[in-house]
Amino acid sequence: MTRVLVANRGAVAARVIRALDALGWESVAVFSDADAGAPYLERATTAMRIGPPPPLGSYLDQDAVLRAAARTGADAVHPGYGFLSEDARFARRVTEAGLGWIGPSPDWIERMGHKGRARTFAAEHDFPLGPASGILPPGDREAAHRAAGEVGYPLLVKPAAGGGGIGMTAVGSPDELVAAVERASSLAARGFGSAEVYLERMVARPRHVEFQIVADRHGAARHLFERDCSIQRRHQKLIEEAPAPGLDRGRLDPLADRLAAALGRAGYDNIGTVEMLDDEGSLQFLEMNTRLQVEHGVTEELTGIDLVVSQIRLAAGDRLADVLPEAVRRYGHAIEARVYAEDPVRFFPSPGTLEIFRPPHGVRVETGYAEGGEVTVHYDPLLAKVIVHADDRAGAIERLAEALESFVIEGVRHNVPALLALLRSDQFGSGEVHTGLTADVVPAQRGAVAL
């Protein structure tokens, strides 16, 4: 593999192109009409229009992506994150076309992309698990109530085939169950092409902790420690950091070792992330993402390991021992904030033209935009990821807050005020983070921040 088509857009497309440059490989960038002026296109070896702005006619059009690969002479595809990155059918089509797939094999994507099969794998390999049901029989109300009784209230109804919080519905009592199951099934069918749902015990204010796994095609797997991704809105991450503040390393490190060893024995074959919920000291398996994570830069800053270069080399067949140093160490503390074009209190998207777009200097900024760019309704409104590193957590928080304060954005609304409110809150500063912290902090800031 020496010429890679990047089947994505925005910040991740720019990031993958940079990694290919570091390897001395050629890059093919595809773009929709909405992204024709994206700054990273100039850095790519070749750029090709792939279709109109709607994702179904461009970035999600598998035929269009494969045609672009053939026409540009690409010999591999990197899917980035989102879009087709966890589509096992697309991964198979890529390999059947004789192209390299930069990611875990299609079988792994299929196995871990379905929550039911992923939980079965986790149970078979002794991952810690919280109470949950199997897949609910469609339309069987009695079976749903029996399963709910075994799991216990409050609980969540969750789609088996998707993620991102789409279709996830909280249920506090038996009276709410049937309607919640029907609603979640309907949303799951529309969003993921599968109406399958299951039940999971709801944890009131958990922490979201994930472990970065790196594996090769020769049976070796290692971890690059954990990230804390507890600061979220609408079940989507806003701020990520590493190491996880305030958690016992005597508990985290052995668990990370155990996860990596199990995945290595099972033959996992590229990078991936095991996500868990921490409920008052008890870590429970949530899911596994078989792709590059949005927040991978946090681990890169903490360890000095280029995860994207590593991912590409592993997909090309390199051994893990040749990709990672013999001993991977943690250095200081790293934090990332996701800057979105959205209302900073209600978090509704805010499309428009970036009349002024001046990211901070002296820190790492990952973006697919430049001044004058258009934020459209067709894509996730992520503008940039601001990533900092410092000797300790307090220093990293201060550095990130200063960087965000200097970020100048005009033409769209943005969530920087909300990010600053979170970073400056006593709860975040003390490390008392949980998935409900945004709801606690941001409404209280309505009269204190410029919206």
Side-chain angles (χ1 to χ4, degrees):
M1 299 190 295
T2 58
R3 187 177 178 88
V4 177
L5 183 141
V6 184
N8 218 297
R9 64 174 299 278
V12 69
R15 175 69 185 92
V16 174
I17 290 168
R18 191 167 77 244
L20 292 168
D21 284 349
L23 287 166
W25 292 15
E26 295 182 347
S27 55
V28 177
V30 294
F31 62 92
S32 74
D33 293 335
D35 290 328
Y40 54 85
L41 299 180
E42 295 183 0
R43 186 165 184 173
T45 308
T46 301
M48 175 173 281
R49 178 187 178 275
I50 200 173
L56 285 174
S58 52
Y59 300 107
L60 288 173
D61 186 335
Q62 298 186 17
D63 292 333
V65 173
L66 291 171
R67 283 196 301 269
R71 291 173 182 171
T72 58
D75 51 21
V77 172
H78 194 304
Y81 44 70
F83 291 135
L84 297 170
S85 62
E86 291 180 286
D87 189 314
R89 176 173 169 265
F90 178 63
R92 286 197 178 94
R93 292 188 67 187
V94 168
T95 58
E96 288 167 359
L99 304 172
W101 171 255
I102 300 178
S105 63
D107 287 347
W108 276 108
I109 296 173
E110 192 168 64
R111 179 187 299 183
M112 305 310 285
H114 186 280
K115 301 296 193 300
R117 289 192 289 269
R119 284 185 62 87
T120 297
F121 175 88
E124 291 172 349
H125 292 83
D126 198 29
F127 291 9
L129 285 164
S133 73
I135 303 300
L136 298 182
D140 191 332
R141 298 185 174 191
E142 291 186 5
H145 279 293
R146 282 197 303 272
E150 293 172 1
V151 171
Y153 291 93
L155 54 79
L156 293 170
V157 185
K158 300 180 73 171
I166 298 172
M168 190 162 69
T169 307
V171 179
S173 70
D175 293 341
E176 304 169 14
L177 181 66
V178 172
V181 169
E182 291 174 351
R183 178 177 180 274
S185 296
S186 176
L187 290 171
R190 292 202 302 270
F192 309 114
S194 169
E196 290 184 325
V197 297
Y198 70 103
L199 308 180
E200 185 175 276
R201 175 80 61 81
M202 185 168 72
V203 181
R205 293 194 159 196
R207 291 180 63 169
H208 187 130
V209 179
E210 61 187 30
F211 296 87
Q212 178 66 62
I213 305 297
V214 185
D216 64 20
R217 295 180 176 177
H218 311 283
R222 292 170 62 183
H223 70 84
L224 298 182
F225 310 107
E226 82 287 344
R227 296 180 289 260
D228 190 300
C229 306
S230 300
I231 306 303
Q232 304 178 6
R233 55 93 170 98
R234 296 199 308 269
H235 306 293
Q236 295 181 328
K237 302 163 188 173
L238 279 180
I239 298 174
E240 304 99 350
E241 62 181 307
L247 295 185
D248 180 11
R249 294 242 61 91
R251 185 165 58 98
L252 289 177
D253 291 340
L255 177 57
D257 289 337
R258 199 167 95 222
L259 298 174
L263 286 162
R265 287 193 301 270
Y268 193 76
D269 54 7
N270 201 259
I271 69 172
T273 300
V274 178
E275 303 204 356
M276 294 193 165
L277 293 182
D278 183 280
D279 179 18
E280 298 182 350
S282 173
L283 281 161
Q284 302 170 2
F285 176 80
L286 180 64
E287 63 184 6
M288 183 172 181
N289 290 321
T290 52
R291 55 168 168 79
L292 183 71
Q293 294 281 93
V294 177
E295 60 273 17
H296 70 274
V298 173
T299 296
E300 292 182 327
E301 293 298 314
L302 186 75
T303 63
I305 304 296
D306 188 318
L307 271 170
V308 185
V309 167
S310 300
Q311 179 188 27
I312 295 167
R313 290 183 59 189
L314 293 165
D318 285 7
R319 291 184 176 274
L320 193 60
D322 297 323
V323 172
L324 297 183
E326 184 175 350
V328 177
R329 304 186 187 281
R330 296 184 299 268
Y331 302 94
H333 199 92
I335 311 182
E336 170 183 290
R338 302 190 193 186
V339 178
Y340 285 94
E342 63 184 16
D343 178 285
V345 170
R346 293 178 296 274
F347 302 116
F348 295 150
S350 176
T353 301
L354 294 171
E355 297 169 2
I356 299 178
F357 187 72
R358 299 174 189 165
H361 297 290
V363 297
R364 178 173 170 180
V365 179
E366 301 284 354
T367 183
Y369 288 98
E371 198 162 278
E374 190 76 16
V375 182
T376 80
V377 298
H378 299 290
Y379 314 122
D380 181 86
L382 178 68
L383 294 176
K385 299 179 290 178
V386 182
I387 312 165
V388 303
H389 182 270
D391 291 339
D392 56 30
R393 185 172 186 266
I397 292 172
E398 186 60 30
R399 192 175 183 206
L400 180 56
E402 290 175 354
L404 291 172
E405 286 171 343
S406 70
F407 203 147
V408 183
I409 305 169
E410 294 186 11
V412 299
R413 304 188 82 183
H414 56 81
N415 70 332
V416 168
L419 294 171
L420 287 170
L422 285 159
L423 291 170
R424 299 294 195 196
S425 69
D426 291 340
Q427 299 98 311
F428 188 85
S430 66
E432 296 176 12
V433 295
H434 55 79
T435 58
L437 186 59
T438 302
D440 288 350
V441 171
V442 174
Q445 301 298 319
R446 293 188 189 194
V449 297
L451 302 181

